[in-house]
Amino acid sequence: MIRGRAIHNHMVMRLRRAAAHSGARGRVEAYLGPGVGYARLVAELGALRVIVEAERAPRRALNDLAKARAVGATHLVIATPTASVAKSIRRRLRGARRASDPRIIVRTQAKAEQALTWLFFRIPGAECRADINATNSRPGQERDLSTIGGDA
């Protein structure tokens, strides 16, 4: 059971499917420990540990970053319903970043799904369930995650 409103729950379940399609193991409403709380989704594949949050407003963005720092995540993905909310969250996180922080990706729902898929496909040596060339690009083409990423 996901805590949140219907749109929030829908966003999280779509992100979970995107991670699972890429071969990652995902835990919804994952307990991260005392004092840290819960993450909406923790997706792991190999050494990659991604904390995924769905936010409708920027007010909890710093809390999301604190969770990712506390568990040593490699990436924090924040999905939003609109581009304006994504922009507000990026602004809020900009001043709070440290060099040791996980990579932060803030995107609208569809682009966050795409970024998750590319994150898990790009792990060297990882076994994925789908063929990247057949599903996401033309054969022989390699896409750079930075064109999708959108660091804060």
Side-chain angles (χ1 to χ4, degrees), residues 42-55:
V42 176
E44 298 174 302
L45 181 62
L48 193 67
R49 182 179 219 187
V50 181
I51 301 293
V52 180
E53 294 287 348
E55 299 296 351

Side-chain angles (χ1 to χ4, degrees), residues 72-141:
T74 58
H75 292 76
L76 170 62
V77 176
I78 300 176
T80 67
T82 65
S84 62
V85 172
K87 187 175 181 179
S88 296
I89 289 173
R90 278 190 219 104
R91 258 194 318 266
R92 174 155 293 193
L93 292 172
R94 190 168 288 130
R97 298 221 35 219
R98 299 181 200 150
S100 61
D101 278 347
R103 180 176 167 119
I104 301 171
I105 300 170
V106 179
R107 286 288 183 244
T108 58
Q109 175 67 36
K111 291 192 181 217
E113 290 174 34
Q114 187 180 28
L116 263 182
T117 301
W118 280 103
L119 271 174
F120 291 118
F121 275 129
R122 301 278 297 175
I123 300 172
E127 293 182 19
C128 296
R129 293 185 189 150
D131 176 15
I132 191 168
N133 290 328
T135 58
N136 295 313
S137 64
R138 294 183 187 143
Q141 272 188 332

Side-chain angles (χ1 to χ4, degrees), residues 11-61:
M11 288 171 63
V12 172
M13 294 314 291
R14 285 188 54 169
L15 290 162
R16 179 176 170 247
R17 279 194 298 271
H21 177 72
S22 302
R25 182 173 52 97
R27 294 179 293 142
V28 175
E29 286 298 325
Y31 182 66
L32 302 176
V36 181
Y38 290 84
R40 297 298 167 247
L41 174 65
V42 176
E44 298 174 302
L45 181 62
L48 193 67
R49 182 179 219 187
V50 181
I51 301 293
V52 180
E53 294 287 348
E55 299 296 351
R56 295 180 301 133
R59 69 181 170 272
R60 296 191 42 84

